[in-house]
Amino acid sequence: MLAICSNCEKPIVVDAPGWNHCKYCQRTVWIPDPMNPDAAPPPPPAPAPAPEPARVFEPPSRPGAPVPADGPTLEIPWEQAESGRWAHRFFSTLGVVLFRSRRTFSDLPDTPRTFHLMAYGTLVITIGLFTYFLVQAFSFAVLEGAVRAGGSVPSPGPWVTEMLQSMKTAKMDARFFLLSSALSPLMAWILIACTHQLFNAWYFLLTRRKPVPVHRLQRLVCYSYTPWLFIALPLVGLFWFLVVQYRALRQGLQVSRAAALLLITVNLLIINLLMQFWIMVHAALLA
């Protein structure tokens, strides 16, 4: 029926008399019944509550799961491209991830990932692998020189001689380590891709639902590899990496302790298999 808005006095079309919404003045107005125009209007209906914003990330529910901290999501310095030079953002992100990993992975943003995110993960792994392989090449050259020198220098021991011989049999000499250091960026990309697929498959198999929080998983993987900068330091880099990735899984995806340890173990096995595969390929090419 056609009626006149009592507020803006413009004609509006309503389905029935009573309280109706005016599309012109955006007000709720009373439209009397033509058969009983003097009837007193009832109280206006209460406004509908505003819908709560949907959560972008819904972690798998389980008893005792840690609840993320309240408040705004953490802004990762590396992703704030407009807030300074890349070196400042890079080192600021190192400090955030390495020394505040609980807060970092609890409040990871769910915004779409960018090129900068993949560049960070590739950069930290590349630097770590490049340094590690150079140290290995230098160590191999020193030990090989000590073995060749014979009695002129202290003997490195029979076990070192056997180790060097087995490494030479597998074609793992100084040239192998130098070539591996040159291929560090490619290895870094492969590591990130494999770890992301592992965590992605785990999330889907556990929850049996889509969509998988791809952006959050990508951030979790790239930032959890930050300790690989120190992978050349005996035990230090590896232990720090295990701690950070454990906290990433626990806080970022609310994984149980057993599941986090299992995923880290499987990830280490995959890394070891990739390295063994590269050794086999290198040996086959030189055969």
Side-chain angles (χ1 to χ4, degrees), residues 179-201:
L179 177 60
S180 299
S181 65
L183 296 177
S184 294
L186 176 61
M187 295 182 181
W189 184 86
I190 294 174
L191 283 181
I192 292 175
C194 291
T195 305
H196 182 264
Q197 290 301 320
L198 171 65
F199 292 171
N200 184 83

Side-chain angles (χ1 to χ4, degrees), residues 207-280:
T207 60
R208 299 285 182 173
R209 65 187 179 188
K210 287 188 176 182
V212 174
V214 178
H215 307 308
R216 189 179 188 88
L217 279 172
Q218 190 75 36
R219 285 185 171 87
L220 186 148
V221 171
C222 289
Y223 293 132
S224 69
Y225 270 103
T226 298
W228 272 59
L229 279 172
F230 314 105
I231 202 66
L233 299 178
L235 298 180
V236 175
L238 179 61
F239 178 77
W240 209 341
F241 166 68
L242 296 178
V243 171
V244 170
Q245 192 161 89
Y246 174 82
R247 289 180 174 175
L249 291 169
R250 288 279 291 157
Q251 305 298 326
L253 293 181
Q254 300 187 9
V255 176
S256 65
R257 292 183 179 90
L261 293 175
L262 177 61
L263 280 172
I264 292 174
T265 303
V266 174
N267 191 36
L268 288 178
L269 290 175
I270 292 176
I271 294 173
N272 182 65
L273 289 175
L274 290 174
M275 181 56 65
Q276 294 299 323
F277 177 75
W278 162 233
I279 294 174
M280 292 173 56

Side-chain angles (χ1 to χ4, degrees), residues 133-143 174 177-178:
F133 287 126
L134 286 184
V135 171
Q136 293 298 316
F138 176 77
S139 301
F140 183 89
V142 170
L143 292 176
F177 292 116
L178 292 176

Side-chain angles (χ1 to χ4, degrees), residues 56-72:
V56 178
F57 168 65
E58 294 182 3
S61 58
R62 59 177 179 81
V67 179
D70 294 332

